[in-house]
Amino acid sequence: MRGSLISAPYLHYLVKNKSKIKIVNVIMTDHHHNKEENNKFAHAHRITLDQSTLNLIDITATPVPIPRKLPTQKTFEKYIQENQYDHLTPIVFFDEHIHFAARAWFTFRYFGFKRVYVLDGGFNKWHHQHDFDKNDSKVYEDLNLQDQPKDQVTSLTTKDVSVISYLKQHKDTKGDDWLLLDARDTPRFKKGSIPGSYNLPYSEYLNDDHTMKSTENLQKLYKNHQIDITKKIVNTCQTGKLSCIALLAQEILKKKELLLFDGSYEEWNHEHPMKQ
């Protein structure tokens, strides 16, 4: 295990030994659906018969004016109660790769859940790990799904980011301790971005099989981009989903404060519309 990531072989071990965990397939649709409909969407990605399905739309704020932001505390608590989540049972989120699961992980961490994990490489990695060596189970016997690292998960507002952006644009030394890090792909970043931000696409954090790069390679990635991990890094993307992959990587790199600009560029552009 690294940070909040759980490997496919380790999850196999937990399932095989009937460990008390909650496995959740994370999906994202444009509209709300009932449980039966959500399960139909998730049917192709099945790890266990008793796994749950989480549709991100159900733990997302009403998309007016900005889509896919964090829900209110009341909305989140209502969802938790109706779907039988608790703080003691470890939760493993997964999707086809990692994208939706990372957002679910951040949301639950934001609202105080500590035992939440993401399947590294997603269902595709699980699907291709059925031949893992059963003798490797000895490696996992001493592992335990404890509370996650004592880092702080925080969501910043447009006002917060506006101040940082102003400092960066005007090369004010007060902005030297901050970095606005945009995880979108480069073509989308070039179409419009928060002034003073730096682009490091989320795909660069991942291997070809969509697992997270090794700790050493993540360190090299930041070094090659001249990113100082000791700075206060504000993670952004289009709406706040893909940047959660960067947050998973930063946790592995022992970052103590995980910062997300929820709503990200769409929120920024709503408050600071581009001139046509």
Side-chain angles (χ1 to χ4, degrees):
M1 287 178 55
R2 296 184 300 145
S4 294
L5 292 177
I6 181 171
S7 69
Y10 185 34
L11 184 57
H12 271 284
Y13 170 81
L14 294 173
V15 171
K16 176 177 176 289
N17 287 276
K18 299 181 180 179
S19 302
K20 187 180 179 182
I21 56 175
K22 189 178 183 73
I23 300 176
V24 183
N25 188 358
V26 186
I27 64 172
M28 181 74 185
T29 62
D30 293 330
H31 304 286
H32 294 279
H33 299 278
N34 60 37
K35 284 186 178 181
E36 290 72 21
E37 291 170 329
N38 282 336
N39 288 334
K40 287 181 181 178
F41 282 108
H43 180 72
H45 299 148
R46 184 162 296 282
I47 290 178
T48 63
L49 293 176
D50 60 347
Q51 71 184 37
S52 301
T53 302
L54 185 156
N55 192 336
L56 283 178
I57 194 72
D58 293 329
I59 53 170
T60 299
T62 303
V64 178
I66 308 301
R68 301 179 185 178
K69 292 189 66 176
L70 289 167
T72 63
Q73 181 84 33
K74 182 178 180 180
T75 298
F76 183 78
E77 289 179 353
K78 182 175 183 290
Y79 180 84
I80 292 306
Q81 292 172 2
E82 291 178 348
N83 292 273
Q84 300 179 322
Y85 286 86
D86 66 80
H87 287 265
L88 296 178
T89 304
I91 305 167
V92 180
F93 294 116
F94 78 94
D95 59 59
E96 184 176 2
H97 298 304
I98 194 175
H99 310 89
F100 296 152
R103 176 65 180 190
W105 163 81
F106 177 85
T107 303
F108 273 65
R109 285 290 305 277
Y110 179 80
F111 285 105
F113 277 72
K114 295 181 179 180
R115 296 182 176 183
V116 286
Y117 305 86
V118 173
L119 175 58
D120 195 13
F123 181 79
N124 282 352
K125 191 65 177 178
W126 164 273
H127 183 67
H128 291 97
Q129 284 289 330
H130 283 298
D131 57 348
F132 95 103
D133 190 348
K134 291 182 173 59
N135 292 326
D136 288 345
S137 63
K138 294 181 180 180
V139 176
Y140 306 116
E141 289 177 357
D142 296 328
L143 291 179
N144 191 14
L145 293 179
Q146 301 292 338
D147 291 352
Q148 284 308 91
K150 305 299 182 181
D151 45 54
Q152 181 180 352
V153 173
T154 306
S155 175
L156 274 69
T157 66
T158 307
K159 184 178 180 181
D160 298 326
V161 175
S162 294
V163 173
I164 299 168
S165 176
Y166 178 87
L167 294 174
K168 303 297 284 185
Q169 288 181 84
H170 292 82
K171 302 187 184 304
D172 191 310
T173 55
K174 293 179 181 178
D176 291 346
D177 292 335
W178 293 88
L179 174 64
L180 297 173
L181 191 59
D182 194 316
R184 294 177 296 169
D185 58 70
T186 301
R188 178 167 282 192
F189 177 80
K190 288 181 176 180
K191 288 182 179 179
S193 61
I194 301 170
S197 60
Y198 181 81
N199 183 218
L200 178 57
Y202 74 91
S203 58
E204 293 199 34
Y205 292 95
L206 305 176
N207 297 308
D208 291 340
D209 62 357
H210 297 278
T211 56
M212 187 71 71
K213 287 182 176 178
S214 68
T215 303
E216 181 182 2
N217 285 337
L218 289 175
Q219 291 170 338
K220 288 180 180 179
L221 176 67
Y222 272 23
K223 183 177 180 180
N224 291 340
H225 284 267
Q226 298 182 328
I227 293 174
D228 185 352
I229 192 67
T230 65
K231 289 189 176 184
K232 297 178 180 179
I233 302 175
V234 180
N235 294 276
T236 78
C237 53
Q238 190 69 18
T239 61
K241 176 168 65 69
L242 293 177
S243 47
C244 293
I245 296 174
L247 288 167
L248 283 168
Q250 288 161 22
E251 183 183 60
I252 291 171
L253 295 175
K254 308 299 183 183
K255 193 75 179 156
K256 295 301 182 184
E257 192 173 22
L258 304 178
L259 305 175
L260 173 70
F261 176 25
D262 194 34
S264 288
Y265 182 68
E266 289 200 15
E267 170 104 353
W268 175 270
N269 197 40
H270 176 74
E271 298 292 334
H272 308 80
M274 290 181 62
K275 296 179 180 180
Q276 300 297 325

